[in-house]
Amino acid sequence: MAKTIIISNRLPVQLQISNGTISAIPSVGGLATGMKSVHSGGDSLWIGWSGLTDEETPEELESQIDDALAEHGSSKVKLTQKEVDGFYYGFSNRTVWPLFHYFLEYSEFEWESWEIYKSVNQKFADAILDKADNDDVIWVHDYQLMLVPQMVREKRPNVSIGFFLHIPFPSFEIFRTLPWRKEILSGLLGSDLIGFHTYDYERHFLSSVRRLLGLEVSFNDIYLDDRVIKVDSFPMGIDYKKFNEAAREHAQRDESQKSELQKRLDTHKESTPDAKFFLSIDRLDYTKGIAKRLNAFEYFLNKYPQYKEKVRLIILAVPSRSNVPQYQLLKKEIDELVGRINGELSTVSWTPIWYFYRSMPFDNLIDLYTTCDIAWLTPIRDGMNLVAKEYIATRTDKTGVLILSEMAGSANEMNESLLINPNNFEQIADTLDRAINMPKEEQQQRNSVLQKRLERYNVEKWANDFMNSLLNQKEKDRTYISR
Ligand code: ADQ
């Protein structure tokens, strides 16, 4: 029977070693949830890196690790510390990530990390080849593995391969600066279906294929001698039900069931009933525009001083890629900005910014989403941005205002939010003022449309649409070959 093989840099489980025994805990991330409908039963396998390097893995535990992963339908690719450094922290996060998010000046073009990227992609491809039969369906995820489709295709010409990119695909003018641009495109073209979050990323990709490889492109099909490749957009959704139900359950909690964070938030709301909480949640990443947002907040308070002692910005930043120098510099910049703004503006009864630098348990995330009046998300570039969708899903009484950057992929589907340009402080300040004063009925009208859309196009539908499109494409391909 044909199986489905999912492949991503990290597996959807986390390994824990305690007292010489291994356990694998399922991750709660959006991708793992979305793939549940695809990755279930005995006919699917997820291949990826376990998160432990070879140096961190005691040899005598190898087989225990394999067994623990197998219980979750997972199989690991082994990576040394040198490979993780060159492939993940190197080429993936110092070359591709900044370039694809239009931070050309941060992008490093180093031949050594490119070589490691190629060899690690080959390792992932070999892990697939080791398990795949000719009629299997393979779904490759994200920018760390862009060469894998072609590497698998060479050895198994008949398998179905889908690729989904979770970050933006940049315009041709940016992409063409990459020394290995043709290799990356050829790697991706090993797929039968290539998916992006938005129509714009899809067009950018097709334009690079046409201009750099000179291939025939008709609408969203790319014609090779022996195959047709489909390129399409599949905007990723969230597990709407999970967020909405968690928020409903929170609303029914009595005092003794509330978290410490919730109690503190409630105390502040009670002491100043007309105060407003702004919420910003992101991984600590330069693409998310956190430093700009802090500067814009200061600008807003200077333009509208009547809100001093009334508004409070809660910034939640999740530690991320702290081995990469740009991320260390950004952390320092944000620490200093928060310190300076709080130092200059705080009063005895008011601290304008509450800053948390950590990952938070799901329960506290829901506390924040449900309590904050305004979600303020201003990425400079973002493939999609799921936080925007999660905030809306938790607003069970349909109040709350979402201010969202036009540069996030999710802005395409969230027109009812207040869209801003993250570089326009004047517009941001006026939009914050508008959000504070937006009548409840207007908030509810906007959110009710957004919620319906998010509920319908949830993450499960995203995964199923992609899989169905991949299976149809294989059929179309067979017809093309037999002409
Ligand atoms: P990310 O850049 O990680 O993902 P995003 O889409 O916002 O960005 O997802 C972040 C996830 O982490 C959300 O589900 C959120 O709930 C969670 N999270 C954020 N802060 C947290 C905290 N402090 N504690 C715990 N959890 C937290 C990449 C791309 C995005 C794209 C996704 C999915 O960069 O553009 O939307 O993949 O394709």
Side-chain angles (χ1 to χ4, degrees), residues 236-454:
M236 186 172 174
I238 56 162
D239 186 351
Y240 182 88
K241 208 165 149 216
K242 175 174 146 193
F243 282 90
N244 192 264
E245 281 176 0
R248 283 182 198 286
E249 188 267 319
H250 267 230
Q252 278 158 14
R253 286 184 179 177
D254 62 33
E255 213 45 38
S256 67
Q257 295 168 312
K258 287 182 181 170
S259 68
E260 282 313 307
L261 174 67
Q262 186 65 63
K263 285 181 193 160
R264 272 202 71 189
L265 293 168
D266 289 351
T267 310
H268 279 272
K269 282 223 140 172
E270 279 153 22
S271 63
T272 16
D274 58 343
K276 299 280 181 199
F277 279 110
F278 300 169
L279 176 66
S280 102
I281 298 190
D282 323 80
R283 262 184 322 96
L284 192 109
D285 196 299
Y286 50 83
T287 60
K288 305 285 182 182
I290 305 171
K292 271 217 167 106
R293 199 176 311 150
L294 286 165
N295 284 315
F297 184 57
E298 187 182 27
Y299 187 91
F300 158 76
L301 287 173
N302 287 330
K303 183 167 182 186
Y304 294 97
Q306 66 270 34
Y307 295 125
K308 284 185 182 165
E309 308 214 29
K310 294 267 167 28
V311 298
R312 184 167 275 124
L313 171 60
I314 301 183
I315 293 233
L316 179 55
V318 192
S320 176
R321 303 173 198 166
S322 38
N323 292 9
V324 178
Q326 299 295 356
Y327 290 74
Q328 294 160 0
L329 286 174
L330 178 68
K331 163 83 172 48
K332 197 160 166 277
E333 186 186 0
I334 291 172
D335 287 353
E336 284 171 7
L337 267 172
V338 172
R340 185 180 62 71
I341 298 171
N342 274 344
E344 280 172 16
L345 296 174
S346 292
T347 63
V348 276
S349 55
W350 179 60
T351 312
I353 304 167
W354 286 0
Y355 170 44
F356 301 89
Y357 174 63
R358 69 189 73 139
S359 180
M360 278 219 178
F362 180 72
D363 206 42
N364 288 145
L365 216 55
I366 301 294
D367 290 336
L368 290 171
Y369 282 149
T370 51
T371 309
C372 292
D373 310 278
I374 294 165
W376 183 22
L377 304 166
T378 55
I380 298 169
R381 289 282 161 185
D382 210 341
M384 173 53 71
N385 193 299
L386 299 178
V387 172
K389 296 184 171 183
E390 292 169 3
Y391 175 72
I392 294 296
T394 60
R395 308 301 301 183
T396 50
D397 66 357
K398 299 189 173 25
T399 61
V401 182
L402 170 63
I403 301 179
L404 179 61
S405 162
E406 292 163 12
M407 314 298 170
S410 49
N412 290 293
E413 302 156 80
M414 303 188 87
N415 256 312
E416 295 75 11
S417 61
L418 301 182
L419 298 180
I420 51 96
N421 173 348
N423 304 309
N424 186 341
F425 284 15
E426 202 61 35
Q427 183 199 27
I428 293 176
D430 295 345
T431 307
L432 285 169
D433 174 52
R434 182 173 168 206
I436 291 169
N437 296 299
M438 186 185 282
K440 206 170 160 185
E441 298 69 39
E442 185 182 343
Q443 297 176 26
Q444 290 173 325
Q445 264 170 11
R446 288 171 182 268
N447 291 340
S448 138
V449 180
L450 285 169
Q451 287 186 345
K452 277 198 195 107
R453 196 175 301 135
L454 294 179

Side-chain angles (χ1 to χ4, degrees), residues 208-219:
S208 283
V209 166
R210 205 181 307 111
R211 298 176 74 174
L212 291 167
L213 300 182
L215 290 173
E216 187 193 340
V217 174
S218 168
F219 298 105

